[in-house]
Structures are given as C-alpha cells and as structure tokens.
Amino acid sequence: MPTARTAHIISFWCGVIFVLVAFYLAFFVKGSTFYTFFALGSWLLLDFIDYKLNNTSILSYFYNSHHYQAFYLLFMVSFFFCFIIDFVWGVKVLKVWEWTDYGVIEFVCMYLFMNISFVLSIYELYRVIKTLLKKYIPDENLFSLRLSSLRKRLFYKACLILGIVFFISPLYMVIYNLHHLEPYILIFPFTSITLITDAVTYFTGGQPVLEQFIHFNRLKSATIAATIFSAFIVTEGLNTFGGEWQYLRVPFYNIRFFTVPLSVLIGWIPLVVGMISMVNMVKHLSYKASSHKSLSSFT
C-alpha cells in the first residue's frame, strides 16, 4: 500500500485530469454530464491543497484503516439525503429542477460518485478556506451564550424533531394540495440536514456546527460564508455553459444573480452548512467507535 504522501500525489494528478475533462465537457460538448468529473476532481485537488497546508486531509483520514467504516457511513448518509431531497422531492414530487438528458447510467453515476464527491469537496473547500483565513481573522466567539445542560439538551431535541418535520415537509404540499407553495418548500429539507446531523453529533457527545453560529465564531462564520459564495459561483457558473441541470420552478425566478436565480444562492446556504455538518457527524461517530474499540480491547 502506498504511503499517504504518495496517495496524495496520485490523487492530485487524478484531480487535475478529472477537472480538465469536466471543463472540456462543460464548454465544448453540448448535453454532456460534466459535473461528476468536476465534483470528483475538485475534491481530490482541494484534498491535496489541504494536505499541503495542514499535513492532513479527509483522504488521509479515510486512508487510515481505522476509518474505513467512516467512509461507508458517510456514503450511506449522503446517499440517503441526496436521493430523497434531490431526486424524490426536487425532481419527482415538486419538479423544481431537472437533470438534463439523464438516463439510468447518469443517475447511477450521480449516486455512486457525484454526491459523495460533492460532499467531500465542500468539506475540503471549507478546510482550505479556513486555513487561509485564520492568518487574518481570529478564531474567537463574538457572543458568549451559556446554556445549562438541560436547556442545551432541549434545544437539540427541538432541532432533531424540527429536522425530521422539515425533511418530510414536501409531503404536506402533496397531501393538502398547496401547489402554489411548492417552489418555496425545499429550503426546509435542505435545512433538515444540519438540524438532524448536528443533533446526532450533540447527543453522541460531539461538537455541533450550529454552535459556531450561536456564538458567531468570527473565523468559522467567515469561512462558511466564503465557502458558500465560492462554491455557488464556480458550480452554477460552470453549469451556465454545461447545462447539466436547469431550474424550473424556483422562487423569484426572474430575480437573478448574473444568470442564476437569486433564490438558488439562498438555497446554497443550508446546502453547504449541511454538508459540513454531515462530515462532522460522521467523523465524530467514527472517533467514538474507535475509542470504544480501543477501550474494549484494553479492558
């Protein structure tokens, strides 16, 4: 098995190739499916940058044999959320967007490769930006909000319940024939990712991402804002040329940020935060499992 350094060098060149293929497909091949290449390539490139900056990365994390199961768990969790929110709610039920010229093979590639790569690329983008910004922005909280353990527990119980309600909220549109509200409802399933995964993180003894917003941590809040904006610009900008997906019924369709409906940018906020929360939860659960195994073997 190659060393972590060798694996990162290999991943870097694979990332370069995938991104170049994605750019070629997006700019020169009409009706191509470029985004799977781009998501995978950008993750590998960002992972390499993270490794060079911090001597660690998510690939290093999964490369460790103790964390193989964490990758499988992340794959299953991302598959579950992406399939239900994107395909079931977004495409089939609410018809808010469509994946252009997608057949069975394209959807298989999406759920086997694209979605997990997207989650990991967003997480690595966040880590890289945070590393670059910490030279200029202090890692400090602007607010010191102290909650008793009981109130904190009640807060995350409410997050979990609200997250489940938000996740299934498109059903209410169907049951009660609220078709005029359908374009607006998807913001709730996107938000449910953070609420559910952060609640699980808290109840298993971890540090939820939501607390960075509650305390308004200067570095992490600025990092998340920069991650959202840069991911939106690059992804939606490429799709302007590639046309792999198109929006059909998003709110305020004619109010645009360049050529993309402004409401899409708003949707990227809970999407990006949800991806970071998801990886944070899986890493914490993996740490808990590893610690438990070590303790069991010791005792």
Side-chain angles (χ1 to χ4, degrees), residues 77-86 167 193 196-197 278:
V77 172
S78 63
F79 176 89
F80 172 75
F81 278 112
C82 292
F83 179 76
I84 300 297
I85 296 174
D86 175 82
F167 183 71
I193 302 173
I196 293 171
T197 56
M278 187 189 300

Side-chain angles (χ1 to χ4, degrees), residues 218-280:
R218 292 179 64 182
L219 173 62
K220 292 168 185 172
S221 297
T223 301
I224 288 177
T227 302
I228 292 166
F229 194 70
S230 54
F232 166 79
I233 289 292
V234 174
T235 302
E236 300 295 346
L238 266 179
N239 189 59
T240 301
F241 297 95
E244 188 165 341
W245 62 88
Q246 58 179 326
Y247 299 103
L248 305 175
R249 303 178 63 206
V250 296
F252 314 113
Y253 188 82
N254 293 323
I255 304 175
R256 294 181 169 257
F257 185 85
F258 293 103
T259 60
V260 182
L262 184 61
S263 56
V264 174
L265 173 58
I266 296 171
W268 272 87
I269 298 172
L271 177 61
V272 168
V273 176
M275 300 302 99
I276 296 168
S277 299
M278 187 189 300
V279 179
N280 182 58

